[in-house]
Amino acid sequence: MLFFGKKKSVEKKTPETEPEVNREELLAQAEQLKGTLDTAKDKAERIRILNEIGSCYFQAKETDQAIAYYEQSLEEDKQLGKAYTDLLKLYNLKRQEAASAKDDENLTLYMNKVQNLMQLSKDVIRGKV
């Protein structure tokens, strides 16, 4: 009677909560990183710093600031990476906010920004950048 044997108990996993983020520390870190932008040794280090600043603002939920630094990073070096993926998330977040607020102008703006990022990914993959 193997088919009607005792059922194995399955442990329920509790969802892991995100670690508590200290907003003030993130904003202070972003300010500190801004001071190092002018002394960056080369383009790669400058891009890394811009992405770190964007990441700090993203984690601190300063969406507009994060978008500004990630966009600057992509303007200087069109590549798929952290700036690209986080910008997609941020643009979609802003698009959702605009849709909830019934703000057609911003909805269109962020839809266009998402489409431009998608075009960038196609161009990078095809080697046109």
Side-chain angles (χ1 to χ4, degrees):
M1 300 294 165
L2 294 173
F3 296 113
F4 300 108
K6 185 177 178 182
K7 289 185 179 180
K8 293 180 183 178
S9 64
V10 177
E11 289 183 32
K12 292 184 179 180
K13 293 183 180 180
T14 58
E16 293 182 26
T17 57
E18 291 183 26
E20 189 65 31
V21 188
N22 187 337
R23 187 172 185 275
E24 288 76 28
E25 284 180 20
L26 289 168
L27 295 176
Q29 184 180 358
E31 289 300 318
Q32 181 183 14
L33 286 166
K34 284 183 194 178
T36 64
L37 269 175
D38 294 332
T39 59
K41 297 175 194 167
D42 55 13
K43 183 179 178 179
E45 184 178 351
R46 182 169 168 78
I47 299 303
R48 183 189 58 76
I49 293 170
L50 287 169
N51 288 341
E52 283 186 40
I53 295 170
S55 181
C56 287
Y57 281 126
F58 187 20
Q59 292 175 47
K61 300 198 183 331
E62 291 287 333
T63 307
D64 293 329
Q65 291 281 12
I67 287 173
Y69 281 95
Y70 282 139
E71 284 178 343
Q72 187 176 351
S73 171
L74 279 181
E75 284 176 18
E76 293 187 21
D77 187 20
K78 296 189 185 316
Q79 65 176 351
L80 303 181
K82 179 141 182 78
Y84 173 84
T85 56
D86 282 356
L87 265 178
L88 269 178
K89 292 174 191 175
L90 290 165
Y91 287 163
N92 280 320
L93 179 69
K94 295 295 272 185
R95 182 186 53 78
Q96 290 170 351
E97 289 173 2
S100 295
K102 297 185 187 333
D103 183 353
D104 291 338
E105 185 177 325
N106 276 333
L107 182 62
T108 303
L109 171 71
Y110 287 104
M111 286 298 293
N112 289 337
K113 287 182 178 255
V114 168
Q115 286 177 340
N116 289 340
L117 276 181
M118 297 306 289
Q119 185 60 49
L120 172 65
S121 70
K122 291 176 186 176
D123 291 345
V124 168
I125 290 169
R126 293 176 182 150
K128 293 183 179 181
V129 178

